[in-house]
Amino acid sequence: MLPCRFLVLLGTRLHRAGGFCQDHFISEIPVTISPKRLTVGVPDLAAVHKTIEERLRAGIDAMTRAERQLASHLLHHYPVAALGSITALAKGAEVSSPTVVRLVQKLGFSGYTDFQGGIRSEVEERLISPLAKHDRWAGGVPDTHILNRFADAVLRNLHATLAQIDHAEFDAAAALMADSARKVYATGGRITHAMAEYFVTHMKVIRPGVSLISDMSNAWPPALIEMVPGDVLLAFDIRRYENNVLQLVEMAAEQGAEVVLITDPWVSPAAAHARYRFSAQIEVPSAWDSTVAIQVLVETLMAAVQSLTWQQTETRMKRLEELYARARFFRRAK
């Protein structure tokens, strides 16, 4: 383990060489780098909260055969399978009712009723509106400035997001996007489409064959007809999950595309069609969810792809700079 420290800079820009504007907010936080995880330490940070789905996935290796069978059924039909009776769940998973009870107790619940209460709470979190989020955050607001409250929440989100990313899956997703034999597409919802556009703008510099798919359904068929098995679709979908994203992901999967999904802790329904899924923490003291942790994942993915393709990317970037210079796109230094 290699301890080190770095500065996290929120809402700032460089003011002059060697210093920052006095009004800007800077937070110094400790970092621990290990072969498997990058964790960002935040003072007084509570343990990372896991959704029921995350707990199921994390504990599946320690389960009995019957419990794994039940867990697989729950994950495949999550969360609908858990909203019926214990008898219906046991029958659907082809296990006994006592197996259901044992599994939910292993997940930390006192019984099936308690387990269902947790499921319903998570479903409510998925569907929460901006107005409801505002009302929840407005109650019991601590007596600190909004800059500090918001920054604290963002840092907690970043810590929790990085702590639960599987490095092997992340590397595999980056390798898919770096493969020049595959075309790469990106799409998102009403808010997250901006993340998809940001990703595509930078990836076009790194490699050829990258396209943004509009969130307007009349633009899908021309894009989908070009997809072949093995192409990659990066999709963004956070609560309140959008039917357009789900439908496009379903159609892309039918074309044989490898779907990489970036979502939130409550997990978009599009995850059922994703080969790789990364969940980012998004809650902040606002009516709106934060996309800062998502932005970190996107920029890290791009950096990973660039590293894998640097020999080709360097040549491409040099030629691109020549074209920009010829077009006089950027202002010249005086």
mmCIF file of all heavy atoms in Angstrom, residues 44-72:
data_model
loop_
_atom_site.group_PDB
_atom_site.id
_atom_site.type_symbol
_atom_site.label_atom_id
_atom_site.label_comp_id
_atom_site.label_asym_id
_atom_site.label_seq_id
_atom_site.Cartn_x
_atom_site.Cartn_y
_atom_site.Cartn_z
ATOM 1 N N ASP A 44 -14.176 11.468 9.040
ATOM 2 C CA ASP A 44 -15.472 11.151 9.625
ATOM 3 C C ASP A 44 -16.450 10.562 8.623
ATOM 4 O O ASP A 44 -17.662 10.703 8.763
ATOM 5 C CB ASP A 44 -16.098 12.404 10.267
ATOM 6 C CG ASP A 44 -15.210 12.976 11.347
ATOM 7 O OD1 ASP A 44 -14.594 12.192 12.090
ATOM 8 O OD2 ASP A 44 -15.132 14.203 11.432
ATOM 9 N N LEU A 45 -15.937 9.914 7.611
ATOM 10 C CA LEU A 45 -16.816 9.334 6.597
ATOM 11 C C LEU A 45 -17.371 8.018 7.095
ATOM 12 O O LEU A 45 -16.645 7.157 7.563
ATOM 13 C CB LEU A 45 -16.041 9.110 5.297
ATOM 14 C CG LEU A 45 -16.843 8.550 4.132
ATOM 15 C CD1 LEU A 45 -17.889 9.565 3.705
ATOM 16 C CD2 LEU A 45 -15.926 8.225 2.975
ATOM 17 N N ALA A 46 -18.691 7.857 6.981
ATOM 18 C CA ALA A 46 -19.325 6.608 7.392
ATOM 19 C C ALA A 46 -18.969 5.503 6.410
ATOM 20 O O ALA A 46 -18.521 5.751 5.299
ATOM 21 C CB ALA A 46 -20.843 6.799 7.436
ATOM 22 N N ALA A 47 -19.177 4.270 6.830
ATOM 23 C CA ALA A 47 -18.899 3.132 5.953
ATOM 24 C C ALA A 47 -19.750 3.225 4.699
ATOM 25 O O ALA A 47 -20.854 3.739 4.715
ATOM 26 C CB ALA A 47 -19.206 1.831 6.699
ATOM 27 N N VAL A 48 -19.222 2.693 3.596
ATOM 28 C CA VAL A 48 -19.922 2.758 2.317
ATOM 29 C C VAL A 48 -21.233 1.983 2.407
ATOM 30 O O VAL A 48 -21.250 0.818 2.759
ATOM 31 C CB VAL A 48 -19.046 2.163 1.198
ATOM 32 C CG1 VAL A 48 -19.816 2.147 -0.115
ATOM 33 C CG2 VAL A 48 -17.760 2.952 1.064
ATOM 34 N N HIS A 49 -22.337 2.667 2.103
ATOM 35 C CA HIS A 49 -23.643 2.014 2.125
ATOM 36 C C HIS A 49 -23.820 1.183 0.868
ATOM 37 O O HIS A 49 -23.510 1.634 -0.222
ATOM 38 C CB HIS A 49 -24.748 3.062 2.200
ATOM 39 C CG HIS A 49 -26.115 2.492 2.000
ATOM 40 N ND1 HIS A 49 -26.714 1.691 2.937
ATOM 41 C CD2 HIS A 49 -26.982 2.579 0.961
ATOM 42 C CE1 HIS A 49 -27.909 1.327 2.494
ATOM 43 N NE2 HIS A 49 -28.086 1.852 1.294
ATOM 44 N N LYS A 50 -24.310 -0.030 1.029
ATOM 45 C CA LYS A 50 -24.552 -0.891 -0.113
ATOM 46 C C LYS A 50 -26.043 -1.127 -0.271
ATOM 47 O O LYS A 50 -26.752 -1.371 0.691
ATOM 48 C CB LYS A 50 -23.833 -2.234 0.055
ATOM 49 C CG LYS A 50 -22.327 -2.157 -0.095
ATOM 50 C CD LYS A 50 -21.714 -3.543 -0.073
ATOM 51 C CE LYS A 50 -20.213 -3.476 -0.328
ATOM 52 N NZ LYS A 50 -19.605 -4.822 -0.326
ATOM 53 N N THR A 51 -26.501 -1.083 -1.503
ATOM 54 C CA THR A 51 -27.882 -1.430 -1.770
ATOM 55 C C THR A 51 -28.045 -2.936 -1.593
ATOM 56 O O THR A 51 -27.066 -3.684 -1.509
ATOM 57 C CB THR A 51 -28.280 -1.040 -3.201
ATOM 58 O OG1 THR A 51 -27.498 -1.816 -4.119
ATOM 59 C CG2 THR A 51 -28.048 0.444 -3.451
ATOM 60 N N ILE A 52 -29.289 -3.384 -1.563
ATOM 61 C CA ILE A 52 -29.543 -4.811 -1.401
ATOM 62 C C ILE A 52 -28.956 -5.588 -2.577
ATOM 63 O O ILE A 52 -28.370 -6.662 -2.401
ATOM 64 C CB ILE A 52 -31.058 -5.063 -1.269
ATOM 65 C CG1 ILE A 52 -31.569 -4.442 0.041
ATOM 66 C CG2 ILE A 52 -31.373 -6.554 -1.305
ATOM 67 C CD1 ILE A 52 -33.070 -4.455 0.197
ATOM 68 N N GLU A 53 -29.081 -5.043 -3.766
ATOM 69 C CA GLU A 53 -28.511 -5.712 -4.936
ATOM 70 C C GLU A 53 -26.997 -5.842 -4.805
ATOM 71 O O GLU A 53 -26.418 -6.893 -5.105
ATOM 72 C CB GLU A 53 -28.856 -4.946 -6.207
ATOM 73 C CG GLU A 53 -28.340 -5.637 -7.462
ATOM 74 C CD GLU A 53 -28.605 -4.856 -8.724
ATOM 75 O OE1 GLU A 53 -28.918 -3.657 -8.620
ATOM 76 O OE2 GLU A 53 -28.482 -5.435 -9.813
ATOM 77 N N GLU A 54 -26.342 -4.782 -4.340
ATOM 78 C CA GLU A 54 -24.889 -4.833 -4.162
ATOM 79 C C GLU A 54 -24.507 -5.858 -3.104
ATOM 80 O O GLU A 54 -23.505 -6.565 -3.234
ATOM 81 C CB GLU A 54 -24.368 -3.449 -3.785
ATOM 82 C CG GLU A 54 -24.397 -2.453 -4.931
ATOM 83 C CD GLU A 54 -24.066 -1.041 -4.491
ATOM 84 O OE1 GLU A 54 -24.279 -0.711 -3.306
ATOM 85 O OE2 GLU A 54 -23.606 -0.272 -5.335
ATOM 86 N N ARG A 55 -25.307 -5.950 -2.038
ATOM 87 C CA ARG A 55 -25.031 -6.939 -0.998
ATOM 88 C C ARG A 55 -25.171 -8.362 -1.538
ATOM 89 O O ARG A 55 -24.398 -9.256 -1.194
ATOM 90 C CB ARG A 55 -25.982 -6.735 0.186
ATOM 91 C CG ARG A 55 -25.586 -5.578 1.097
ATOM 92 C CD ARG A 55 -26.485 -5.529 2.308
ATOM 93 N NE ARG A 55 -27.391 -4.402 2.248
ATOM 94 C CZ ARG A 55 -28.362 -4.181 3.130
ATOM 95 N NH1 ARG A 55 -28.562 -5.036 4.106
ATOM 96 N NH2 ARG A 55 -29.128 -3.122 3.020
ATOM 97 N N LEU A 56 -26.175 -8.565 -2.382
ATOM 98 C CA LEU A 56 -26.359 -9.885 -2.990
ATOM 99 C C LEU A 56 -25.153 -10.269 -3.837
ATOM 100 O O LEU A 56 -24.640 -11.388 -3.745
ATOM 101 C CB LEU A 56 -27.624 -9.888 -3.851
ATOM 102 C CG LEU A 56 -28.961 -10.041 -3.121
ATOM 103 C CD1 LEU A 56 -30.116 -9.706 -4.058
ATOM 104 C CD2 LEU A 56 -29.124 -11.462 -2.580
ATOM 105 N N ARG A 57 -24.705 -9.330 -4.666
ATOM 106 C CA ARG A 57 -23.568 -9.615 -5.545
ATOM 107 C C ARG A 57 -22.289 -9.846 -4.735
ATOM 108 O O ARG A 57 -21.492 -10.732 -5.041
ATOM 109 C CB ARG A 57 -23.368 -8.469 -6.530
ATOM 110 C CG ARG A 57 -24.495 -8.317 -7.539
ATOM 111 C CD ARG A 57 -24.185 -7.244 -8.572
ATOM 112 N NE ARG A 57 -25.320 -6.984 -9.431
ATOM 113 C CZ ARG A 57 -25.649 -7.728 -10.489
ATOM 114 N NH1 ARG A 57 -24.904 -8.772 -10.812
ATOM 115 N NH2 ARG A 57 -26.705 -7.431 -11.228
ATOM 116 N N ALA A 58 -22.102 -9.030 -3.700
ATOM 117 C CA ALA A 58 -20.869 -9.118 -2.912
ATOM 118 C C ALA A 58 -20.784 -10.417 -2.118
ATOM 119 O O ALA A 58 -19.694 -10.943 -1.889
ATOM 120 C CB ALA A 58 -20.773 -7.911 -1.971
ATOM 121 N N GLY A 59 -21.937 -10.940 -1.700
ATOM 122 C CA GLY A 59 -21.910 -12.114 -0.827
ATOM 123 C C GLY A 59 -22.155 -13.438 -1.506
ATOM 124 O O GLY A 59 -22.193 -14.479 -0.842
ATOM 125 N N ILE A 60 -22.301 -13.425 -2.823
ATOM 126 C CA ILE A 60 -22.744 -14.640 -3.514
ATOM 127 C C ILE A 60 -21.739 -15.788 -3.396
ATOM 128 O O ILE A 60 -22.118 -16.958 -3.351
ATOM 129 C CB ILE A 60 -23.061 -14.321 -4.998
ATOM 130 C CG1 ILE A 60 -24.010 -15.388 -5.565
ATOM 131 C CG2 ILE A 60 -21.787 -14.175 -5.823
ATOM 132 C CD1 ILE A 60 -24.703 -14.961 -6.845
ATOM 133 N N ASP A 61 -20.450 -15.477 -3.301
ATOM 134 C CA ASP A 61 -19.437 -16.539 -3.208
ATOM 135 C C ASP A 61 -19.504 -17.295 -1.890
ATOM 136 O O ASP A 61 -19.066 -18.451 -1.806
ATOM 137 C CB ASP A 61 -18.031 -15.953 -3.389
ATOM 138 C CG ASP A 61 -17.778 -15.486 -4.813
ATOM 139 O OD1 ASP A 61 -18.503 -15.947 -5.715
ATOM 140 O OD2 ASP A 61 -16.874 -14.655 -5.019
ATOM 141 N N ALA A 62 -20.041 -16.655 -0.854
ATOM 142 C CA ALA A 62 -20.097 -17.285 0.469
ATOM 143 C C ALA A 62 -21.426 -17.999 0.717
ATOM 144 O O ALA A 62 -21.653 -18.521 1.806
ATOM 145 C CB ALA A 62 -19.866 -16.228 1.554
ATOM 146 N N MET A 63 -22.295 -18.029 -0.277
ATOM 147 C CA MET A 63 -23.617 -18.632 -0.108
ATOM 148 C C MET A 63 -23.593 -20.124 -0.410
ATOM 149 O O MET A 63 -22.717 -20.620 -1.118
ATOM 150 C CB MET A 63 -24.626 -17.944 -1.044
ATOM 151 C CG MET A 63 -24.851 -16.477 -0.760
ATOM 152 S SD MET A 63 -25.981 -15.740 -1.987
ATOM 153 C CE MET A 63 -25.846 -14.004 -1.544
ATOM 154 N N THR A 64 -24.589 -20.817 0.127
ATOM 155 C CA THR A 64 -24.777 -22.225 -0.221
ATOM 156 C C THR A 64 -25.312 -22.314 -1.650
ATOM 157 O O THR A 64 -25.705 -21.305 -2.244
ATOM 158 C CB THR A 64 -25.775 -22.891 0.729
ATOM 159 O OG1 THR A 64 -27.066 -22.284 0.540
ATOM 160 C CG2 THR A 64 -25.350 -22.716 2.183
ATOM 161 N N ARG A 65 -25.357 -23.528 -2.191
ATOM 162 C CA ARG A 65 -25.845 -23.696 -3.561
ATOM 163 C C ARG A 65 -27.266 -23.165 -3.713
ATOM 164 O O ARG A 65 -27.580 -22.444 -4.661
ATOM 165 C CB ARG A 65 -25.797 -25.178 -3.961
ATOM 166 C CG ARG A 65 -26.240 -25.429 -5.409
ATOM 167 C CD ARG A 65 -26.582 -26.879 -5.640
ATOM 168 N NE ARG A 65 -27.675 -27.316 -4.782
ATOM 169 C CZ ARG A 65 -28.961 -27.045 -5.019
ATOM 170 N NH1 ARG A 65 -29.307 -26.322 -6.074
ATOM 171 N NH2 ARG A 65 -29.887 -27.477 -4.199
ATOM 172 N N ALA A 66 -28.142 -23.505 -2.763
ATOM 173 C CA ALA A 66 -29.533 -23.058 -2.842
ATOM 174 C C ALA A 66 -29.629 -21.539 -2.706
ATOM 175 O O ALA A 66 -30.429 -20.891 -3.388
ATOM 176 C CB ALA A 66 -30.367 -23.742 -1.761
ATOM 177 N N GLU A 67 -28.805 -20.976 -1.829
ATOM 178 C CA GLU A 67 -28.821 -19.522 -1.652
ATOM 179 C C GLU A 67 -28.318 -18.811 -2.900
ATOM 180 O O GLU A 67 -28.850 -17.765 -3.281
ATOM 181 C CB GLU A 67 -27.976 -19.143 -0.433
ATOM 182 C CG GLU A 67 -28.613 -19.538 0.893
ATOM 183 C CD GLU A 67 -27.651 -19.444 2.061
ATOM 184 O OE1 GLU A 67 -26.441 -19.226 1.827
ATOM 185 O OE2 GLU A 67 -28.095 -19.601 3.209
ATOM 186 N N ARG A 68 -27.293 -19.373 -3.554
ATOM 187 C CA ARG A 68 -26.807 -18.780 -4.807
ATOM 188 C C ARG A 68 -27.880 -18.836 -5.887
ATOM 189 O O ARG A 68 -28.040 -17.900 -6.672
ATOM 190 C CB ARG A 68 -25.543 -19.503 -5.282
ATOM 191 C CG ARG A 68 -24.295 -19.137 -4.507
ATOM 192 C CD ARG A 68 -23.040 -19.538 -5.267
ATOM 193 N NE ARG A 68 -22.979 -20.967 -5.524
ATOM 194 C CZ ARG A 68 -22.450 -21.850 -4.686
ATOM 195 N NH1 ARG A 68 -21.935 -21.443 -3.534
ATOM 196 N NH2 ARG A 68 -22.421 -23.132 -4.990
ATOM 197 N N GLN A 69 -28.614 -19.936 -5.914
ATOM 198 C CA GLN A 69 -29.704 -20.073 -6.882
ATOM 199 C C GLN A 69 -30.766 -19.004 -6.635
ATOM 200 O O GLN A 69 -31.272 -18.375 -7.573
ATOM 201 C CB GLN A 69 -30.314 -21.471 -6.766
ATOM 202 C CG GLN A 69 -31.415 -21.762 -7.784
ATOM 203 C CD GLN A 69 -31.829 -23.227 -7.737
ATOM 204 O OE1 GLN A 69 -30.982 -24.110 -7.623
ATOM 205 N NE2 GLN A 69 -33.129 -23.486 -7.826
ATOM 206 N N LEU A 70 -31.088 -18.786 -5.360
ATOM 207 C CA LEU A 70 -32.066 -17.761 -4.992
ATOM 208 C C LEU A 70 -31.528 -16.368 -5.315
ATOM 209 O O LEU A 70 -32.249 -15.524 -5.866
ATOM 210 C CB LEU A 70 -32.393 -17.872 -3.502
ATOM 211 C CG LEU A 70 -33.264 -16.769 -2.892
ATOM 212 C CD1 LEU A 70 -34.607 -16.671 -3.607
ATOM 213 C CD2 LEU A 70 -33.459 -17.019 -1.397
ATOM 214 N N ALA A 71 -30.270 -16.116 -4.986
ATOM 215 C CA ALA A 71 -29.670 -14.805 -5.255
ATOM 216 C C ALA A 71 -29.650 -14.514 -6.750
ATOM 217 O O ALA A 71 -29.944 -13.389 -7.181
ATOM 218 C CB ALA A 71 -28.256 -14.750 -4.681
ATOM 219 N N SER A 72 -29.319 -15.516 -7.549
ATOM 220 C CA SER A 72 -29.297 -15.333 -9.004
ATOM 221 C C SER A 72 -30.684 -14.993 -9.531
ATOM 222 O O SER A 72 -30.843 -14.142 -10.408
ATOM 223 C CB SER A 72 -28.776 -16.599 -9.686
ATOM 224 O OG SER A 72 -27.436 -16.845 -9.315
#
